[in-house]
Amino acid sequence: MQNFLLALGRCDWRLWIIALVIFAPQPVVAETKSENIQEILATNQVPSNATNTNIPQLSDVELPVTSAQMLVQQPTPTNTPATPGEVVTITGVKANPTEKGVEVILETAAGDKLQVANRSTGNNFIADITGGQLRLANGDAFTFNSEKPLAGITEITVTNIDANTVRVTVVGEKALPVVELFDDNAGLIFAVASTETATKPPDTPPVEEKPVTEKPQEKPDEPIELVVTGEQDEGYRVPNTSVGTRTDTPLRDIPQTIQVIPQEVLRDQNVTRLEDATRNVAGASLVSSSITNFDQNTRLRGFLANFFRNGVRDQDRFQIMDFANVERVEVLSGPASVLFGRGFPGGAVNIVTKQPLSDPFYAVNATIGSFDFYRGAIDLSGPLNDSRTALYRLNVAYQDRNAFVDLFDESQFFIAPVISLALGERTRLTLEGDYLDQAGSFIIGLPIEGTVLPNPNGRIPRNRSTSDSELNRTLTTVGYRLEHQFSDNWSLQNVLRASFRSYEQAFVFGLGLNPDLRILNVIRENFISNTQIYTLQTYLTGEFSTGSIDHQLLFGVDLNRNEDFSSGRFFAGTAPPIDVFNPVFERTTEPLTLTRDSDFLTEGLGFYVQDLVTLAPNLKLLLGGQFDLVRQTTEDNLANTKVSESTDAFSPRVGLVYQPIPPISLYASYARSFTPVGGTDFEGNRFVPERGTQYEVGIKADLNDQLSATLAFYDLTLSNVLTTDPVNPNFSIQVGEQRSRGVDLTLGGEILPGWSIIAGYAYIDAEVTEDNSIPSPVGNRFTNVPQNSFNLWTKYEFQRGALQGFGVGVGLFYVGERAGDFGNTFELPSYLRTDAALYYQRNRFRAALNFRNLFDITYFESSFGRGRIFYGEPFAVQGTISWEF
């Protein structure tokens, strides 16, 4: 941490200027149109921040409500609240044109049990409705969104913000909207007036305003059905997630650290690679770099992470992905075998993809940047029929880039179609697929002498490449998701996905420098691999009560098959040495020799059960466990041998959440993971799985309704690690142990209107605790895992005035010293990288400039040993223009 502070102190003066712009935003003052507010306050003696506990009838309102501010201040009687744990279902949202504007109707038969709290922020009228949820008849959650429905009204949205709260937001274009609130047999009604209508003199006849609809309505008094699953801009704070429980659960109710990188952060940072997204995760360590062509090399809390797409296993060490169809990234830190089966103890990274919308949505964007970076993408969605029972979404992207490293180039084409079909009121079938085709280079890194360590011949420049290579890969994924709602409380999901990957690369690999530390000895290698992955998931979720105790039950079965044909099929040959200070690449036609040819087959079957028990409104218990059966088959095609091994494991999780006051959650949890280990020891005994065990305690706090923080302390141990047998060095024994202890602190959300932040700090004490190798690595730190790391991204967008629509963002990413190899023979130095961005958004048009490594510092991202050091990217800029229509 001391090094971080010193690095911060050395920052350029430009950083402090940017910081002043961000951390001193302009104040936002809400306008009040009523001339009688002081009189109302004096008469009723209600503070301006009072919370409404009932919704008055229009006939009960004696004073005219002329602004959202007055609505907050108006006293109302008390509704009868819902019983603890009861959530009122709002089954639809309708918009009904009126002479003054439009009435937004929240359809529910139990509106009297809902609690409403209103407030105004700038030009925004916001009403939080406690005790309710937006749910269609089939149980699916939805979001209502209407843009520019009236003159002077920019947008009206109705959305779920947590498990029992619905938020209604009315955004005025230049002033605070005029909103009246009352109830009716149909439900809750928000009467929104056009700004032009609201500001006319009383004797001026009202002008009828027509809301924007797809087709003209012959009878304007008929309700316009606008129930949609719209684009939901969650901001920098996402209150719910599915990665921790496989159900849509509030983060504050899950006794484990979960961080979500939402769509707005991905857009603001112009993220196109997974490694750029996980920079925002506290405790995430980068094992690869921007030029290694592998995305799935992230460590969490010191250990490797597991990767999933919409909750389905995506474990492929040669995986690459495109972000054109990514909605958000969910990261669970620590063992996750209780839900996802076999895997590494670091945690789970779940990629949530974009789904079809029931309203037409079309977007295009184009990016151009440093090092010949070009990217274009389209996003199309909407209904396929008039009844909107068939929906589609199509994401397409093409990217071509070079890099700061010589001889690097890459082109990538991606397409992802999705079709969603309503097979009935309670059944939906979603068909999904994607295809990615990539061709480019493979960079292997540079020697340690001349990069991290001095070299008498000078410093090796960061643009130097020692490999003239080629890489081609394709990835095709197809599948379906079938969802059926038996009732309001019970539902079933069945998911099938098949992935097919083809991978080929030809490269020159460095063996080490000669004693002159100038000439690099190399070999030539070709590698071919083809993989097929099949996953079938079926799980049942339900809610029920046993007396006063509520249960959220999950039971599921996972079946998966991973066929890795010709995995590790290596061809090797000689190649001329390379002068790293003056490289000349000579291609040779000498034949290559097949050195390894193996096939791997992994089959898994898992059963899991989980119960989230609400013992009291402020006390929740999470119990879960998964039993797995795994069979691994290895076939050596050169030796003509075949070995099959089977193993089983049970992985439990127990957690407790206590909420002394509603905004605070105190939690503690215990979780385990398992990773199959193939092979036998000298005596022929088969190895048992590696086991990860984590103890975690923490606190989650909602600092306000838009800003949340999490503080976690953990102890994570990996046991049954293979080490060299000291008696029989050609064999291994399972006596190794590795341990990681640390602290995670995260913060995310909106501090003030227009000012958003996502930040994190991690302290990781990760070391080898048991090993009998000679020399012993006990006490050695994990490779590429810093003890201290810090990430901060914050932006401010001007809400009004001449600069309305403009925004600026600043990011600080600090990474401390890290061990460069398993033997801890050298360290990568710490660094502090500064990023920045400028935005302008007007209606559906958006332009942005993103700056990476603003001060052009020289730093090292990662290391794969003394011969493979990777420089970080120098200063780069990218410009993006996007348009929605």
Side-chain angles (χ1 to χ4, degrees):
M1 192 63 184
Q2 181 180 5
N3 291 333
F4 164 67
L5 296 174
L6 290 174
L8 186 63
R10 293 194 297 264
C11 284
D12 194 291
W13 55 270
R14 290 171 288 182
L15 174 62
W16 300 110
I17 292 178
I18 295 174
L20 288 174
V21 174
I22 293 299
F23 291 98
Q26 308 246 346
V28 179
V29 180
E31 295 181 2
T32 302
K33 298 181 180 179
S34 172
E35 297 177 356
N36 300 318
I37 289 179
Q38 298 300 327
E39 179 182 346
I40 295 172
L41 288 174
T43 302
N44 298 290
Q45 298 181 358
V46 179
S48 61
N49 62 350
T51 300
N52 286 341
T53 56
N54 191 29
I55 306 168
Q57 299 283 351
L58 284 180
S59 59
D60 299 331
V61 180
E62 297 180 358
L63 294 173
V65 178
T66 58
S67 72
Q69 181 70 20
M70 285 187 62
L71 187 62
V72 177
Q73 296 166 339
Q74 207 168 337
T76 56
T78 303
N79 273 352
T80 302
T83 59
E86 180 182 357
V87 177
V88 175
T89 300
I90 299 172
T91 57
V93 179
K94 291 183 178 180
N96 185 13
T98 65
E99 292 182 351
K100 295 183 178 181
V102 64
E103 289 181 345
V104 179
I105 306 172
L106 277 61
E107 297 181 317
T108 178
D112 58 334
K113 295 185 178 181
L114 298 174
Q115 306 293 300
V116 182
N118 310 309
R119 71 180 191 277
S120 58
T121 303
N123 294 341
N124 301 332
F125 166 80
I126 301 173
D128 286 345
I129 305 169
T130 304
Q133 276 283 282
L134 299 177
R135 295 285 174 183
L136 297 174
N138 64 0
D140 288 344
F142 67 95
T143 294
F144 167 91
N145 179 270
S146 179
E147 295 189 0
K148 292 190 175 300
L150 301 168
I153 304 299
T154 302
E155 186 179 41
I156 301 176
T157 60
V158 186
T159 184
N160 295 322
I161 63 170
D162 59 34
N164 68 338
T165 307
V166 176
R167 173 166 296 170
V168 178
T169 305
V170 183
V171 181
E173 185 173 355
K174 297 180 180 179
L176 186 66
V178 178
V179 182
E180 295 179 353
L181 170 62
F182 55 99
D183 61 8
D184 187 83
N185 292 334
L188 302 182
I189 300 178
F190 291 81
V192 183
S194 164
T195 299
E196 293 182 0
T197 303
T199 55
K200 287 182 180 295
D203 57 346
T204 303
V207 178
E208 181 177 353
E209 297 290 338
K210 296 182 179 180
V212 179
T213 58
E214 291 185 6
K215 298 180 180 180
Q217 303 296 313
E218 296 179 0
K219 299 179 180 181
D221 291 335
E222 291 295 322
I224 306 168
E225 186 67 37
L226 287 174
V227 176
V228 298
T229 306
E231 280 287 79
Q232 182 174 350
D233 193 354
E234 299 170 314
Y236 276 35
R237 174 182 178 265
V238 179
N240 291 13
T241 181
S242 61
V243 69
T245 59
R246 280 194 185 272
T247 59
D248 190 29
T249 305
L251 286 170
R252 61 199 307 272
D253 291 343
I254 303 174
Q256 204 164 343
T257 297
I258 297 176
Q259 300 172 69
V260 181
I261 313 304
Q263 173 64 212
E264 188 170 335
V265 174
L266 300 177
R267 181 196 64 188
D268 290 344
Q269 297 181 359
N270 196 28
V271 170
T272 58
R273 292 176 57 87
L274 183 59
E275 65 180 34
D276 292 326
T278 56
R279 291 184 194 274
N280 299 284
V281 176
S285 307
L286 184 64
V287 185
S288 60
S289 79
S290 60
I291 54 174
T292 55
N293 301 101
F294 301 131
D295 275 338
Q296 300 193 350
N297 272 319
T298 300
R299 288 181 179 267
L300 296 172
R301 295 181 170 174
F303 295 98
L304 285 174
N306 311 278
F307 294 85
F308 303 86
R309 187 181 295 259
N310 296 326
V312 180
R313 181 179 300 275
D314 203 12
Q315 195 68 49
D316 186 347
R317 58 197 176 105
F318 300 109
Q319 184 73 16
I320 191 73
M321 61 180 299
D322 195 285
F323 263 70
N325 71 330
V326 174
E327 180 66 27
R328 65 180 183 272
V329 179
E330 303 174 334
V331 180
L332 181 147
S333 297
S337 290
V338 67
L339 293 178
F340 301 111
R342 69 183 187 275
F344 305 113
V349 178
N350 184 41
I351 310 299
V352 180
T353 61
K354 298 176 180 178
Q355 297 301 307
L357 310 175
S358 58
D359 270 359
F361 174 81
Y362 313 104
V364 297
N365 72 74
T367 302
I368 184 172
S370 304
F371 311 114
D372 298 324
F373 184 97
Y374 302 96
R375 178 180 173 86
I378 61 173
D379 185 358
L380 312 176
S381 188
L384 293 172
N385 57 4
D386 293 338
S387 61
R388 304 190 182 191
T389 57
L391 311 174
Y392 82 95
R393 190 145 196 176
L394 178 65
N395 289 101
V396 182
Y398 177 78
Q399 179 175 298
D400 191 281
R401 66 165 182 152
N402 293 337
F404 64 95
V405 176
D406 298 336
L407 305 178
F408 181 92
D409 65 88
E410 179 185 273
S411 61
Q412 181 172 299
F413 171 75
F414 176 76
I415 182 170
V418 185
I419 295 178
S420 181
L421 305 172
L423 304 182
E425 291 186 358
R426 293 182 175 270
T427 305
R428 179 167 292 275
L429 175 65
T430 302
L431 306 174
E432 300 178 278
D434 58 69
Y435 171 77
L436 185 145
D437 189 338
Q438 184 189 72
S441 307
F442 182 80
I443 304 300
I444 64 171
L446 296 170
I448 188 172
E449 296 87 358
T451 53
V452 177
L453 300 180
N455 187 314
N457 299 288
R459 187 179 185 88
I460 302 175
R462 59 183 170 186
N463 67 323
R464 184 58 38 84
S465 173
T466 59
S467 179
D468 184 9
S469 61
E470 296 179 358
L471 179 149
N472 293 277
R473 101 180 98 191
T474 62
L475 177 66
T476 304
T477 302
V478 294
Y480 72 82
R481 182 173 65 256
L482 180 64
E483 303 168 83
H484 178 70
Q485 191 86 13
F486 295 105
S487 66
D488 292 341
N489 296 327
W490 290 90
S491 64
L492 180 73
Q493 286 204 31
N494 175 253
V495 181
L496 173 66
R497 194 171 75 186
S499 299
F500 309 92
R501 181 195 37 85
S502 173
Y503 183 93
E504 297 182 16
Q505 71 177 30
F507 60 98
V508 173
F509 193 87
L511 298 177
L513 290 173
N514 282 344
D516 62 2
L517 300 181
R518 186 179 186 98
I519 303 301
L520 179 68
N521 297 309
V522 297
I523 60 172
R524 190 161 50 101
E525 291 185 342
N526 283 10
F527 175 64
I528 300 174
S529 176
N530 295 281
T531 303
Q532 298 178 10
I533 302 176
Y534 304 91
T535 302
L536 178 64
Q537 294 182 349
T538 303
Y539 55 94
L540 177 73
T541 59
E543 297 180 1
F544 63 95
S545 299
T546 55
S548 61
I549 299 176
D550 296 331
H551 300 263
Q552 187 181 70
L553 184 67
L554 169 71
F555 174 76
V557 180
D558 280 2
L559 180 65
N560 54 78
R561 178 183 177 92
N562 187 326
E563 303 178 46
D564 205 348
F565 301 104
S566 300
S567 177
R569 191 177 185 190
F570 277 96
F571 298 84
T574 61
I578 297 174
D579 184 344
V580 295
F581 291 94
N582 186 24
V584 177
F585 297 95
E586 301 178 20
R587 293 182 179 261
T588 176
T589 58
E590 293 185 14
L592 299 173
T593 302
L594 180 62
T595 58
R596 190 173 72 187
D597 187 358
S598 301
D599 295 335
F600 295 93
L601 172 63
T602 302
E603 299 169 293
L605 175 63
F607 304 89
Y608 54 91
V609 62
Q610 175 184 272
D611 191 7
L612 179 58
V613 185
T614 303
L615 302 173
N618 64 342
L619 183 63
K620 296 177 175 63
L621 175 66
L622 182 64
L623 301 171
Q626 172 153 320
F627 180 74
D628 284 277
L629 296 167
V630 180
R631 181 179 179 86
Q632 295 177 305
T633 302
T634 303
E635 187 171 358
D636 189 331
N637 298 317
L638 293 181
N640 196 25
T641 59
K642 185 176 182 179
V643 177
S644 295
E645 303 171 80
S646 298
T647 188
D648 59 76
F650 176 72
S651 305
R653 177 171 66 171
V654 180
L656 189 67
V657 178
Y658 172 63
Q659 296 161 342
I661 57 176
I664 301 295
S665 295
L666 307 176
Y667 73 90
S669 65
Y670 163 83
R672 299 201 73 187
S673 68
F674 87 101
T675 308
V677 178
T680 63
D681 60 17
F682 177 75
E683 297 178 353
N685 300 314
R686 298 196 180 280
F687 295 130
V688 299
E690 292 181 340
R691 298 307 304 253
T693 305
Q694 176 177 272
Y695 300 90
E696 180 176 337
V697 296
I699 179 172
K700 299 182 180 183
D702 294 332
L703 305 181
N704 57 43
D705 59 355
Q706 290 292 311
L707 186 66
S708 298
T710 300
L711 175 64
F713 303 85
Y714 64 88
D715 187 316
L716 175 57
T717 302
L718 179 65
S719 56
N720 299 331
V721 179
L722 294 180
T723 69
T724 302
D725 187 338
V727 180
N728 304 283
N730 293 327
F731 291 84
S732 297
I733 56 178
Q734 284 188 296
V735 298
E737 182 182 89
Q738 300 171 0
R739 186 186 65 201
S740 174
R741 294 175 173 174
V743 180
D744 293 337
L745 175 61
T746 64
L747 177 69
E750 188 177 64
I751 300 175
L752 293 172
W755 183 13
S756 300
I757 187 173
I758 182 169
Y761 166 76
Y763 171 79
I764 303 176
D765 181 15
E767 63 179 5
V768 177
T769 51
E770 293 183 16
D771 198 296
N772 63 347
S773 302
I774 301 175
S776 175
V778 172
N780 282 5
R781 293 160 52 195
F782 292 4
T783 306
N784 292 308
V785 178
Q787 196 168 58
N788 291 282
S789 60
F790 171 79
N791 63 274
L792 166 69
W793 177 268
T794 182
K795 76 160 185 178
Y796 179 73
E797 185 174 326
F798 293 89
Q799 303 294 290
R800 63 194 315 161
L803 295 178
Q804 183 177 2
F806 280 95
V808 57
V810 171
L812 299 175
F813 302 95
Y814 170 78
V815 178
E817 296 87 353
R818 297 139 287 155
D821 61 357
F822 182 74
N824 287 193
T825 62
F826 71 97
E827 282 190 343
L828 299 179
S830 63
Y831 68 87
L832 175 64
R833 195 183 92 172
T834 305
D835 293 356
L838 297 173
Y839 319 103
Y840 175 71
Q841 184 164 342
R842 192 69 173 176
N843 298 327
R844 296 176 178 269
F845 172 79
R846 188 176 191 273
L849 284 175
N850 287 84
F851 307 92
R852 295 193 174 118
N853 195 1
L854 184 63
F855 301 108
D856 197 23
I857 65 168
T858 299
Y859 67 100
F860 301 99
E861 277 193 316
S862 60
S863 165
F864 288 128
R866 300 181 68 87
R868 301 189 63 187
I869 310 296
F870 292 93
Y871 277 107
E873 185 180 29
F875 171 76
V877 59
Q878 293 180 350
T880 302
I881 294 177
S882 57
W883 183 269
E884 296 179 6
F885 55 95

